[in-house]
Amino acid sequence: AGRGGANKIMNLFKHKHKQKQKNQDENQEQNNDSTNDSTTSDIKDNSDHDNDVSQEINNKQQEEDARLARVLQEEEDQQMQQQQLQHNARRSWVSSYPGQRRHGQGLMQGFHPTASTTSNVPRCATCYGMVWGLMPLVVALGNVYHPECFKCIGCHDTIQDGESFASMLDTNGKRYPLHRQCYAELYGIKCTVCQKTIDQGAPYLRHPFFDSEYLCSKHSSRNSCRTCTGCYRFEPLAKPFANLDDDDANRCICDSCLRTVIVDNDDAKPLWEKIINFFQQHLKLPIWDGMRDIPVLVVGYNALNQQQQQMHNNAHGGSSQIMTRGLCLSEHMRGGGGLGVGVGLLDWGNDISNYVSSTSSPSSNPNMTVTAILCLTGLPADLTCSILAHEATHAWMKLHPNFNVNKPIPSQVEEGCCQLTAMLFLTDSGDGDGLEECTSTSSSTQGPSDKKLRQYFKFSIETDSNEIYGEGYRKAAKIYAEIGIEALLSHVVNYQAFPNI
């Protein structure tokens, strides 16, 4: 196209030159007619001279025309090169998610391929066919496609003009386009309960610790789904958790927590022994007389809550975590020698009332007796251990020789110290007295391992926002880091307050 334009310019210059030559000849004839009596030789000399001058002008004009044609051709060649560079730059464009397909025409428009140039023609990334001349094309994901070849790798339907799309990366590093809905089905988050994909931008809830657990808006309201009584993971409709069938609480337990579930008093006895050994050997705390023999009762949900309601000045129930799952029952002697009971009359049936009869356990404090420790049934062993460690701390303080029932310890101080010992037990790796011997180390491909569950129980203590349990634990933990556990607990018993550090 450029060389054709140059030839037209050359023909134009030649036409102008012929017209100029014709005008000069006519002028010459007029000059000859106006000459009076010049000799024949003079006329001939003048004519030759004019011809020479005209030929010289003609040659110079041709040289100038040729030079101008070359300049024009060079400029047009540069424009062609610039267009080719722009086409190549367009081929290197890469879309980002969410992307849009880019449309255009084939590269090198008007170009007629030869055997030496076909290697430079772009090929469709799907069918590997060439994209010629004026053919429509799609430029996306760093590739060129025929419009009919730009298809979703999920449903295999064509992605329409102007439609937003996502992409996936295969193991070889190649990207493939996906409809946004197909991407959500394959890679989007799903409701744990109903397994339906949660639309982008739709509200949902996520488990605070297990980050693969989600609830859609339909199941995020209160009582719309059940949760595991141990780890609070959501129960899927397609694979229900095991029912605990305790009273009317409608509690359930997941497969992971079920591996080490504690259901009766016999299951709890070895765990209590582990707690006593932990206090004595790891925390270096004195074990008061009778503390090792305190009855540990594994009870149902209603029984525990009934007993909790009968306790005076208790803070149980304020925490959303493990504090609603255990109680420490105690009795104290009043000044006149009468018996003051830390809990009301236990009306739970023959089994429990036989355990907490008028028989009292001996202790270093002659005015206090811990009659029993209650723990909720249907919990995994690690969680049960942390509850027993918490309640054992209550018992240790009440049995301390300097404990004064007339000077009650503030709830935040006492519960914070109890949460601290529960955390210490969960954190302890143990060398025979820790969690490794009292829980299973097996894991499940369908749920969290025992180690992951233990991390969640620690997380629950650390992140509890309750003023009594959460803030109390953080204050106790800070002081423990400075003075140790025995100095902390002894100060709390003697002065009913945290020490000033």
Side-chain angles (χ1 to χ4, degrees), residues 52-68:
D52 292 341
V53 172
S54 176
Q55 184 64 35
E56 183 178 357
I57 293 174
N58 201 15
N59 292 338
K60 290 183 178 180
Q61 186 66 45
Q62 289 180 355
E63 291 177 358
E64 180 64 20
D65 291 345
R67 186 189 68 78
L68 181 59

Side-chain angles (χ1 to χ4, degrees), residues 141-329:
L141 304 177
N143 297 310
V144 176
Y145 303 84
H146 296 119
E148 65 274 12
C149 294
F150 191 61
K151 296 182 178 181
C152 171
I153 194 64
C155 66
H156 304 292
D157 288 342
T158 302
I159 298 177
Q160 300 301 318
D161 184 9
E163 181 179 1
S164 296
F165 64 91
S167 66
M168 61 160 288
L169 187 69
D170 68 6
T171 55
N172 296 322
K174 184 176 180 179
R175 287 198 173 275
Y176 295 91
L178 278 164
H179 288 116
R180 294 179 65 176
Q181 183 176 358
C182 295
Y183 180 90
E185 289 291 335
L186 292 173
Y187 304 105
I189 60 176
K190 297 180 182 294
C191 176
T192 303
V193 177
C194 62
Q195 288 300 303
K196 293 183 178 179
T197 301
I198 300 175
D199 295 335
Q200 186 177 10
Y204 63 86
L205 291 181
R206 187 176 67 180
H207 194 285
F209 182 80
F210 300 103
D211 53 12
S212 63
E213 298 270 328
Y214 293 90
L215 286 181
C216 65
S217 57
K218 179 180 178 181
H219 296 105
S220 59
S221 59
R222 184 179 295 273
N223 300 324
S224 61
C225 69
R226 297 198 304 175
T227 58
C228 172
T229 191
C231 63
Y232 285 104
R233 292 192 302 131
F234 312 126
E235 179 186 36
L237 294 176
K239 190 177 180 182
F241 294 158
N243 291 318
L244 288 173
D245 297 326
D246 59 335
D247 307 319
D248 57 352
N250 193 29
R251 291 194 304 139
C252 58
I253 184 170
C254 70
D255 291 343
S256 297
C257 292
L258 188 62
R259 288 192 298 260
T260 62
V261 65
I262 304 300
V263 297
D264 55 32
N265 299 341
D266 291 336
D267 291 341
K269 286 180 180 178
L271 302 187
W272 179 250
E273 188 65 26
K274 294 291 182 183
I275 296 299
I276 296 300
N277 292 338
F278 175 75
F279 272 46
Q280 188 174 34
Q281 298 176 16
H282 289 267
L283 300 185
K284 307 301 180 183
L285 293 173
I287 302 301
W288 312 122
D289 294 340
M291 186 172 173
R292 191 180 294 271
D293 301 323
I294 296 174
V296 176
L297 309 180
V298 178
V299 300
Y301 181 83
N302 283 347
L304 186 64
N305 280 278
Q306 288 173 5
Q307 188 59 56
Q308 172 187 323
Q309 293 171 6
Q310 296 178 26
M311 295 183 66
H312 302 291
N313 299 324
N314 77 91
H316 287 74
S319 172
S320 62
Q321 303 299 337
I322 62 175
M323 287 303 96
T324 59
R325 299 167 178 174
L327 288 174
C328 177
L329 309 182

Side-chain angles (χ1 to χ4, degrees), residues 392-434:
T393 308
H394 281 299
W396 190 92
M397 286 193 251
K398 294 180 185 301
L399 296 177
H400 193 285
N402 297 335
F403 180 78
N404 187 346
V405 70
N406 296 318
K407 294 182 179 181
I409 302 172
S411 296
Q412 186 188 71
V413 177
E414 184 171 357
E415 299 297 345
C417 291
C418 294
Q419 286 289 71
L420 173 63
T421 55
M423 172 63 80
L424 293 176
F425 187 85
L426 288 170
T427 304
D428 181 73
S429 59
D431 57 1
D433 295 315

